[in-house]
Amino acid sequence: MTVRLWLRAWVAWLRGEGTDVRAVLARLQAWLQAVEADAQAQARLAHAWQRLGAAAADWAPLLADEGIARRPEFVAELAHRLRRHLLPVSPRTTDSSEWFGWVFDDERDARWLAAIPARQVQRLQQLLAPEGNGAPPVPVVWRGVLLDALAICTAHVAVTLVEPEVWQRMVPASRRLRAFEGLARNLDALRSTVRAHGPHAAPTQAAVDALRAALDACRHAAYTAYAHLDEHGISTAVVFRLHQLRERVLRAKRLLEALASPNPERAAMHLLARLVRANHQARRIGPLVARTSQLLAQRVAERNAETGEHYISRNRTEYWAMLRRALGGGAVLGLTTWSKLALTALGLSAFWGGLVAGLNYAAWFVLIMLLHWTVATKQPAMTAPALAARLKHLHSREAVLRFVDEIAHLLRSQVAAIAGNLLAVVPTVWLLDWGWRSVSGSHLVDEAKALHLIATHQLWGPTLLFAAGTGVLLFASSLMAGWAENAFVLYRLDTALAHHPAWIRWLGPQRAQRWAAWLRSHISGLAANVSLGLLLGLVPALLGFFGLGFDVRHVTLVTGQLTAALVALGPQALMQWDVLSALLAALLVGPINLAVSFYLAFRLALKAQGINAVNRQRIRQALLYRWRKAPGSFFWPPASEPAPRG
């Protein structure tokens, strides 16, 4: 431990206070001169090097594993990184990765390590293992370390390749090749060649090329599993293993480059610099979460893009069909408003009231889905991935114009959906109030409740902020829908249910097959509607438990509640400022619901497709040109679908 403490202090002294690489190299030069002039210091340094553990047993795992996720699962690796990020490191550790990162605790150390000249490295080698002291030369030890590190890397690659989760997803041709069998054979050949001819001979280069080709064959064989994942659902555990395999192959190639380099001193310093960077990157939690979330985002976006195509109307026929579906959805949401007001009168506690409200929402949303009707605010989270799918092809003017066409189609669809919902919910609530008044002699809500509804929907209150929060919940429900459908496909639940003995006894073989196929087609819609209902009901109750006031502001539900309040107060209430303020707020709730959920879904789709930037200026110019020439195209469809561009 004393040697490690000294090494950490020495690295800190070399680094200094600033980041000037030339100053670091000057300090190293001065230190080398001082030690070379002091025989006792040279002896102590050589002894310390031997105690530090120059053998492959200490350094090989560091070269092979540093910066590569060691845990085979995302959760385990996340816990490991959290521990490394939050807890201090003991210098008494036997983990070479931990003490290496403890010594080089500044990521900028990689800069001066990579800049150390070969001449200084050679002088340092002579000091660490001087001739005549019985210790093997540093270059010989270094070659052995590199070969042992290669053995660790190739072993990990072979093990990953034959893991059942990866092996069963590879195409049959790749399994028959059994590429992993060539790794050990080629590595043994490389060891023998290095021992017989040295690291720079022609036979060694041939052995290096053979091992590199074997590594590429293993990587290409493993990558065939991605096609299976695309078709049958993404498993983050499998993709995590495939990512580890890719990192191992790249690390093995860097080790081969260092082994066969004509300038081994410079290659060693560059490799150590990479290890320093990798050590610090391996502590970061953000990249790990981002990479894993991108896998789920990809599947969610792909599934939602397929679903979202059904929510976009491209001609007048589809526009009227969208309007009719929205009218039906608005009528059902009028019933939802009535049942919500009735449940509120039960006076349940916060949690149970939220749960009952969530189940109520979910039941009505599922009914709308089964009737093939539409809820306007659910569309953006589904249509945004379908729109983003076209961003990959913005390579020409025609592609940009096609993208603008899709935006126009989408906006028209949203206008039709919102208009249909609102045009139906208002008369539905009025008719329900009229029927209830005919039976009981009272309105759906009394005057006090009506005044309370008006007061809680004021323009200058938190209504618009709550509307944005509701947009987040709408987006979250689309995430849950994509996750549920991916899990359904990944675990083949349709065939599992179709052949489940209990299902067959209950439904019979043919009906079990039909129900399983129906669930496969509708699992995304069921998950979206049930999750949205529960989110709308439970999130306000859960946030209220922590003292965070939140209420749902869904445009159709808000309109239904305000309609019930106005019917109870009478037409004279329209002359009051509070009522006008509430109505103005209701007009803004819908656009905010749509904008927030669409923005979040669009960003998710961009991330899933790996699009860092698009030509925003060209799109903006095309949109402005369309707005000047044909503003009505954003609100009213053409009589027929336009001819395809390009």
Side-chain angles (χ1 to χ4, degrees), residues 351-374:
F351 174 77
W352 294 110
L355 179 60
V356 170
L359 293 174
N360 173 64
Y361 289 138
W364 291 112
F365 290 156
V366 170
L367 177 61
I368 293 173
M369 182 200 77
L370 295 177
L371 294 173
H372 303 288
W373 291 341
T374 298

Side-chain angles (χ1 to χ4, degrees), residues 9-72:
W10 179 71
V11 170
W13 174 79
L14 278 181
R15 183 191 309 128
E17 297 294 333
T19 58
D20 188 357
V21 173
R22 288 178 296 180
V24 176
L25 298 181
R27 280 190 288 271
L28 178 60
Q29 174 68 16
W31 181 83
L32 288 172
Q33 291 176 350
V35 174
E36 288 170 344
D38 189 338
Q40 293 183 351
Q42 294 180 36
R44 290 195 300 268
L45 180 63
H47 181 65
W49 170 251
Q50 293 178 357
R51 291 182 57 191
L52 184 62
D58 287 332
W59 286 93
L62 177 68
L63 296 181
D65 297 332
E66 189 56 53
I68 301 174
R70 301 184 181 184
R71 275 62 179 175

Side-chain angles (χ1 to χ4, degrees), residues 128-423:
L128 295 177
E131 298 179 1
N133 71 338
V138 172
V140 175
V141 174
W142 178 246
R143 286 198 295 271
V145 170
L146 290 175
L147 289 170
D148 289 342
L150 277 169
I152 295 173
C153 283
T154 54
H156 278 296
V157 170
V159 168
T160 302
L161 206 62
V162 297
E163 284 181 347
E165 288 186 326
V166 177
W167 180 260
Q168 294 170 4
R169 287 174 168 83
M170 290 162 48
V171 299
S174 295
R175 291 201 296 266
R176 287 193 297 269
L177 286 176
R178 305 178 71 86
F180 64 92
E181 292 181 347
L183 290 176
R185 182 172 60 253
N186 284 284
L187 180 62
D188 289 341
L190 177 61
R191 282 185 181 275
S192 301
T193 306
V194 170
R195 191 179 303 114
H197 303 284
H200 306 121
T204 303
Q205 185 60 50
V208 167
D209 293 339
L211 182 55
R212 185 181 288 112
L215 289 168
D216 287 334
C218 289
R219 185 178 62 175
H220 294 152
Y223 278 10
T224 62
Y226 280 112
H228 184 280
L229 294 173
D230 290 339
E231 181 178 356
H232 299 285
I234 284 181
S235 167
T236 54
V238 173
V239 180
F240 196 74
R241 285 175 169 82
L242 292 175
H243 180 78
Q244 286 179 307
L245 182 141
R246 174 181 177 274
E247 293 297 317
R248 296 282 184 190
V249 170
L250 293 177
R251 177 62 56 83
K253 288 185 175 181
R254 292 193 179 104
L255 294 173
L256 287 172
E257 291 173 1
L259 179 67
S261 173
N263 191 343
E265 292 82 11
R266 296 288 296 144
M269 290 298 101
H270 281 286
L271 184 58
L272 289 178
R274 287 196 183 101
L275 293 182
V276 171
R277 296 190 191 97
N279 181 277
H280 287 272
Q281 291 172 358
R283 301 180 190 180
R284 296 172 182 166
I285 299 171
L288 176 68
V289 175
R291 185 175 68 247
T292 306
S293 64
Q294 184 176 0
L295 302 176
L296 181 59
Q298 178 183 355
R299 200 57 183 175
V300 170
E302 288 175 357
R303 291 293 179 185
N304 287 350
E306 296 171 5
T307 306
E309 292 290 343
H310 303 296
Y311 287 97
I312 301 178
S313 60
R314 293 182 170 83
N315 53 51
R316 193 164 295 179
T317 301
E318 294 178 356
Y319 183 87
W320 285 115
M322 175 67 70
L323 186 61
R324 288 193 296 270
R325 293 198 299 269
L327 286 169
V332 175
L333 288 174
L335 297 172
T336 308
T337 303
W338 167 75
S339 61
K340 172 66 166 60
L341 295 172
L343 292 172
T344 304
L346 297 177
L348 299 174
S349 62
F351 174 77
W352 294 110
L355 179 60
V356 170
L359 293 174
N360 173 64
Y361 289 138
W364 291 112
F365 290 156
V366 170
L367 177 61
I368 293 173
M369 182 200 77
L370 295 177
L371 294 173
H372 303 288
W373 291 341
T374 298
V375 178
T377 50
K378 283 178 54 187
Q379 289 178 280
M382 298 296 182
T383 53
L387 187 65
R390 286 145 175 86
L391 287 176
K392 293 186 293 185
H393 309 293
L394 293 182
H395 55 275
S396 65
R397 180 177 179 274
E398 290 73 18
V400 174
L401 293 177
R402 284 196 300 268
F403 184 74
V404 173
D405 288 340
E406 288 299 314
I407 293 178
H409 296 328
L410 175 60
L411 289 178
R412 289 197 301 264
S413 304
Q414 298 301 310
V415 170
I418 293 178
N421 279 178
L422 299 185
L423 287 173

Side-chain angles (χ1 to χ4, degrees), residues 501-521:
W503 267 55
I504 294 175
R505 285 196 305 269
W506 180 39
L507 300 173
Q510 294 182 350
R511 190 175 298 173
Q513 293 279 352
R514 290 198 302 271
W515 279 39
W518 184 87
L519 279 176
R520 172 64 182 83
S521 301

Side-chain angles (χ1 to χ4, degrees), residues 334-335 338 341 425-446 450 560-561 563-570:
L335 297 172
W338 167 75
L341 295 172
V425 73
V426 172
T428 300
V429 172
W430 183 86
L431 288 172
L432 287 171
D433 185 89
W434 175 80
W436 182 257
R437 190 169 66 253
S438 300
V439 173
S440 65
S442 61
H443 293 284
L444 285 177
V445 296
D446 56 26
Q561 291 176 354
T563 301
L566 288 174
V567 171
L569 295 175

